[in-house]
């Protein structure tokens, strides 16, 4: 855990100090359950919690100091720094901790594929002999990124940091903390459009990742990135088709499971590789990770050799065998319109006796949510699974889009909840069948997995 000198902490946060010994070094913790003796407890506030209520508990658990915004929360005899806003102070302290790193920071954002790209890049670097620190799971907001830097010593490892955004300006705040040397923008889509307000706002937000001077790693198959090409300084492009890489410059294309192309200027080289990752969208994420590894100086040949070991993280197109010989493809870590379409496309290529698509709804899509679900329904018709199960708030819109695109109405089943879906699938899935589970994290589709693994 990073320890911050008192003078640096006061300078960064503008805090007023009370009963603070000048030799205090701050190890910042925001959860009283994680406190060890000597820590400093920082009292965050949220919609449903207020850390100021737990300062005394933190002191009892061994915290020697507290950072608060409410002076009334001070505990007599406990060293205290009073700031105007504890979240702002938390981010400022994280920036101090990050400044101690002299190794590269890679930041990743995008409407889909962030966590997968992060995991694949971390694997690739580790296989190539690089020590890696990566943000866990989806801790990609101001609190998560701050916690990440404050929780690690500057030990020379490379940091891979995921950055998410729900509101305009979120990414810029994270860039100010992390100051990445390399920035990956996986794509720009409709995720969180309800909060961001418009597609243009999403585009501006994602590309603000590069506002601090990070070297761009950008998607040659994304129209927004291609439109911004003239504004990007020495970008690495990534794609699944080498023909999509711009002439000249730098680029990576992972075509199918066996062909890796690396472009540097007019030099385009091909490497034989073995990639076990399913789905073109996932191989696109892997191409982004490859481009970042090359930008960090890993040799082409080393990267090509290590690709056979790459695996998707849990919850991403994860194949789960059922006792009766059927299988599930669990891809419900989260869902966006682009992610739903990509999963359906990849699912169509999965060998199976019958394909059954089980789609929950998507969240945070704003006023156009119904229309976006209709569009996903149309993609179902193109993928042509044998059966379609629909659930959640926009189940009717998913079904309508599929029917409008020619999908047979008698192949569509509406389910009430996860228990109902599991009951229906338990009687429908037979040996050789494969069911895709895809939907927003809100709908907890892992409950369907648990029920079927225990029943079939």
């Amino acid at each position: 855990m990073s320890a911050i000198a008192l003078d640096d902490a006061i300078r960064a946060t503008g805090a007023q100090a009370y009963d603070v010994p000048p030799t205090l070094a701050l190890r910042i913790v925001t959860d009283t359950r994680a406190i060890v003796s000597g820590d400093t407890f920082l009292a965050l506030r949220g919609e449903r919690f207020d850390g100021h209520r737990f300062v005394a508990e933190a002191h009892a658990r061994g915290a020697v100091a507290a950072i608060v915004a409410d002076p009334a929360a001070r505990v007599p005899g406990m060293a205290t720094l009073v700031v105007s806003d504890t979240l702002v102070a938390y981010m400022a302290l994280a920036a101090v901790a990050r400044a101690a790193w002299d190794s590269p920071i890679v930041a990743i954002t995008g409407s889909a594929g962030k966590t997968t790209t992060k995991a694949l890049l971390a694997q690739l670097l580790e296989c190539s002999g690089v020590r890696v620190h990566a943000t866990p799971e989806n801790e990609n907001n101001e609190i998560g990124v701050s916690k990440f830097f404050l929780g690690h010593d500057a030990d020379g490892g490379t940091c891979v940091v995921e950055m998410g955004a729900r509101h305009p300006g979120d990414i810029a705040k994270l860039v100010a903390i992390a100051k990445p040397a390399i920035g990956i923008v996986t794509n720009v889509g409709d995720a969180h459009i309800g909060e961001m307000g418009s597609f243009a706002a999403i585009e501006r937000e994602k590309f603000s990742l590069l506002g601090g001077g990070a070297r761009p790693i950008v998607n040659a198959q994304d129209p927004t990135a291609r439109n911004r090409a003239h504004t990007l300084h020495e970008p690495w492009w990534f794609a699944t088709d080498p023909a999509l890489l711009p002439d000249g410059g730098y680029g990576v294309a992972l075509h199918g499971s066996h062909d890796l192309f690396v472009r540097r200027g007019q030099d385009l080289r091909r490497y034989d590789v073995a990639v076990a990752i399913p789905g073109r969208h996932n191989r696109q994420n892997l191409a982004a990770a490859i481009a970042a590894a090359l930008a960090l100086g890993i040799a082409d040949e080393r990267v090509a050799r290590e690709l056979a070991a790459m695996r998707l993280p849990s919850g991403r197109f994860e194949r789960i065998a059922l006792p009766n010989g059927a299988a599930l493809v669990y891809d419900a870590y989260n869902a966006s319109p682009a992610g739903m379409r990509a999963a359906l496309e990849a699912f169509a290529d999965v060998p199976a006796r019958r394909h059954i698509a089980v789609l929950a709804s998507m969240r945070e899509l704003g006023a156009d949510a119904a229309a976006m679900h209709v569009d996903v329904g149309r993609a179902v018709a193109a993928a042509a699974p044998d059966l379609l199960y629909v659930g959640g708030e926009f189940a009717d819109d998913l079904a309508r889009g599929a029917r409008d695109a020619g999908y047979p109405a008698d192949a569509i089943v509406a389910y009430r909840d996860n228990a109902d879906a599991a009951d229906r699938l338990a009687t429908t899935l037979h040996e050789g069948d494969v069911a895709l589970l895809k939907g927003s994290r809100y709908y907890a589709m892992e409950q369907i997995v648990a029920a079927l693994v225990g029943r079939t």
Side-chain angles (χ1 to χ4, degrees):
M1 177 180 288
S2 179
I4 297 175
L6 177 62
D7 288 348
D8 291 338
I10 292 175
R11 188 178 307 112
T13 63
Q16 290 289 321
Y18 298 88
D19 302 320
V20 180
T23 57
L24 178 68
L26 287 69
R27 300 195 310 266
I28 310 298
V29 177
T30 62
D31 187 339
T32 55
R33 295 167 297 183
I35 287 174
V36 297
S37 180
D39 284 346
T40 293
F41 176 67
L42 185 143
L44 290 172
R45 282 186 171 124
E47 292 181 5
R48 299 181 181 86
F49 66 90
D50 187 349
H52 292 80
R53 296 168 48 204
F54 301 100
V55 176
E57 178 185 335
H59 187 44
R61 287 176 175 265
V64 298
I67 300 174
V68 300
D70 182 0
R74 292 174 58 197
V75 172
M78 185 182 190
T80 307
L81 298 178
V82 179
V83 298
S84 59
D85 184 309
T86 50
L87 178 56
V88 172
Y90 196 37
M91 292 188 287
L93 293 167
V96 173
R98 183 267 175 263
W101 289 82
D102 57 7
S103 296
I105 310 293
V106 181
I108 304 171
T109 195
S111 295
K114 296 184 294 295
T115 307
T116 299
T117 301
K118 176 189 68 180
L120 292 171
L121 176 56
Q123 288 180 52
L124 190 52
L125 294 176
E126 287 170 349
C127 289
S128 301
V130 176
R131 186 173 184 180
V132 179
H133 301 286
T135 47
E137 292 300 325
N138 63 340
E139 293 189 7
N140 59 16
N141 60 8
E142 298 101 313
I143 294 174
V145 172
S146 297
K147 178 182 177 182
F148 172 76
F149 282 109
L150 288 164
H152 290 83
D153 289 323
D155 62 0
T158 295
C159 292
V160 183
V161 181
E162 180 181 339
M163 295 184 177
R166 290 178 178 269
H167 306 98
D170 284 352
I171 296 293
K173 295 175 185 176
L174 302 180
V175 169
I177 296 170
K179 296 181 172 58
I182 294 173
I184 303 174
V185 181
T186 60
N187 47 52
V188 179
D190 297 326
H192 304 304
I193 196 169
E195 284 78 14
M196 299 297 292
S198 68
F199 185 86
I202 295 173
E203 178 183 349
R204 287 193 298 272
E205 187 66 19
K206 299 307 181 187
F207 278 92
S208 68
L209 181 75
L210 309 176
R215 185 170 188 182
I217 310 289
V218 287
N219 189 344
Q221 295 168 240
D222 190 321
T224 60
R226 296 184 73 92
N227 290 341
R228 286 175 173 261
H230 66 284
T231 70
L232 304 175
H233 180 63
E234 293 191 339
W236 274 88
W237 296 90
F238 64 89
T240 55
D241 183 345
L244 297 175
L245 298 177
D247 291 335
Y250 303 86
V252 166
L254 185 58
H255 187 57
S257 300
H258 300 288
D259 298 305
L260 171 65
F261 296 86
V262 178
R263 176 183 289 283
R264 289 183 177 86
Q266 299 306 313
D267 180 26
L268 181 66
R269 299 189 180 186
R270 178 191 167 278
Y271 299 89
D272 285 318
V273 295
V275 175
I277 289 176
R280 186 168 58 184
H281 62 303
N282 288 319
R283 290 192 291 272
Q284 187 178 84
N285 294 330
L286 180 54
I290 294 168
L294 297 180
L296 287 167
I298 309 298
D300 297 11
E301 295 79 6
R302 181 68 182 265
V303 169
R305 187 167 64 249
E306 302 299 347
L307 293 184
M310 300 299 101
R311 295 294 182 268
L312 292 174
S314 177
R316 279 76 169 181
F317 222 78
E318 181 180 1
R319 188 181 180 98
I320 300 168
L322 297 178
N324 69 348
L328 305 175
V329 173
Y330 176 68
D331 196 37
Y333 174 81
N334 217 331
S336 66
M340 295 281 264
R341 289 190 292 267
L344 286 163
E345 178 185 338
F347 183 57
D349 293 332
V350 174
R353 186 180 74 94
R354 289 189 308 163
H355 293 80
I356 301 170
V358 184
L359 304 184
S361 300
M362 299 172 284
R363 301 275 290 179
E364 300 175 347
L365 296 179
D368 293 329
M372 292 179 184
H373 282 82
V374 169
D375 286 343
V376 170
R378 295 191 183 105
V380 171
D386 296 279
L387 292 172
L388 169 64
Y389 285 56
V390 293
E393 181 181 1
F394 296 97
D396 289 346
D397 300 295
L398 287 167
R400 177 158 55 90
R403 289 194 305 270
D404 288 351
Y407 189 80
D410 60 2
I412 301 174
V413 178
Y415 65 90
R416 294 187 307 275
D417 53 28
N418 289 338
D420 183 37
D423 286 343
R424 293 172 181 272
L425 288 168
T427 60
T428 302
L429 283 169
H430 300 294
E431 184 176 358
D433 294 344
V434 178
L436 169 69
L437 305 183
K438 182 69 176 173
S440 169
R441 185 72 193 84
Y442 173 84
Y443 290 101
M445 298 182 80
E446 68 274 9
Q447 295 172 358
I448 301 175
V449 177
L452 289 172
V453 168
R455 292 168 55 177
T456 54

